[in-house]
Amino acid sequence: MKKAIKTIIAIGMATLTMFSATSVFAAVYAYPYENGWYQTNNEWHYSVNGKDLRSTEAVINGKKYYFYNNGVMAHNSFVMYRLRNKETEPLKTCYAGSSGAFVKGWVQPKASKGWWYFDTNYEMHKGWLKYKGDWYYLGNGGAMVTGWQKIGKTWYYFESSGKMRTSNLVYKGKTYRFNSSGACINP
């Protein structure tokens, strides 16, 4: 009889433990928090009033983030979007860093040899950029250019740092001269 009672108690405890574990699992993972950050499958989400932010940008604790339509926070990636109901607005291109927060300034994304510049609004810059007194050029895809570049009808030379050359350059045995605007005088 004692053995049967011990068995019943052991089965009851195992069932109670399983039920408690299942309830905790469901409470933590199956339902988003009412407000704030939570993680599922190694992906971060942010919930407001029990609903995930989706297809939107958000400023959280002073940092800007983007959430895809499945509620997952963007990270280590370029993000192209326009705000809802703004179909006439051009696409914004930003970069979400490893923390998920949008970045400003120069960025070299993971697995990339290129550099991009993001302005104070977190948007990718294209074309001419004056940075700390020097000129740079960022191509159509936003990547900083180096070496010889024909922009419009004019030739320019950009150092490996991306800085535009304005002084003479000896290249493959020939001396090239540049005016103060960086244009090559004798291409």
Side-chain angles (χ1 to χ4, degrees), residues 4-30:
I5 291 174
K6 284 183 183 179
T7 303
I8 290 171
I9 291 172
I11 291 171
M13 292 296 284
T15 303
L16 181 59
T17 302
M18 264 189 352
F19 176 75
S20 296
T22 303
S23 297
V24 169
F25 179 81
V28 173
Y29 294 101

Side-chain angles (χ1 to χ4, degrees), residues 65-186:
Y65 300 86
Y66 184 80
F67 297 88
Y68 295 113
N69 61 1
N70 63 357
V72 172
M73 175 195 73
H75 67 285
N76 289 330
S77 61
F78 289 95
V79 178
M80 293 179 68
Y81 69 99
R82 51 172 71 88
L83 298 177
R84 290 182 184 180
N85 303 321
K86 302 263 183 165
E87 292 303 317
T88 57
E89 177 183 293
L91 283 171
K92 292 182 179 187
T93 303
C94 304
Y95 188 79
S98 59
S99 71
F102 282 179
V103 296
K104 298 177 193 175
W106 290 105
V107 174
Q108 185 178 31
K110 285 187 172 193
S112 172
K113 294 180 182 178
W115 286 88
W116 284 257
Y117 186 82
F118 296 87
D119 65 21
T120 56
N121 294 319
Y122 306 99
E123 292 184 49
M124 181 172 65
H125 189 90
K126 294 179 185 176
W128 289 103
L129 171 69
K130 190 170 188 177
Y131 180 78
K132 294 187 178 182
D134 294 311
W135 285 98
Y136 298 80
Y137 191 80
L138 299 117
N140 289 336
M144 177 188 76
V145 300
T146 59
W148 286 104
Q149 301 291 325
K150 189 173 186 181
I151 302 169
K153 295 181 180 182
T154 307
W155 283 96
Y156 298 88
Y157 186 83
F158 296 89
E159 305 290 341
S160 60
S161 65
K163 184 170 45 170
M164 180 186 68
R165 182 89 181 206
T166 56
S167 60
N168 290 350
L169 169 71
V170 176
Y171 183 80
K172 294 186 178 180
K174 181 178 177 184
T175 300
Y176 294 91
R177 294 177 312 177
F178 300 87
N179 64 21
S180 61
S181 68
C184 183
I185 299 168
N186 61 332

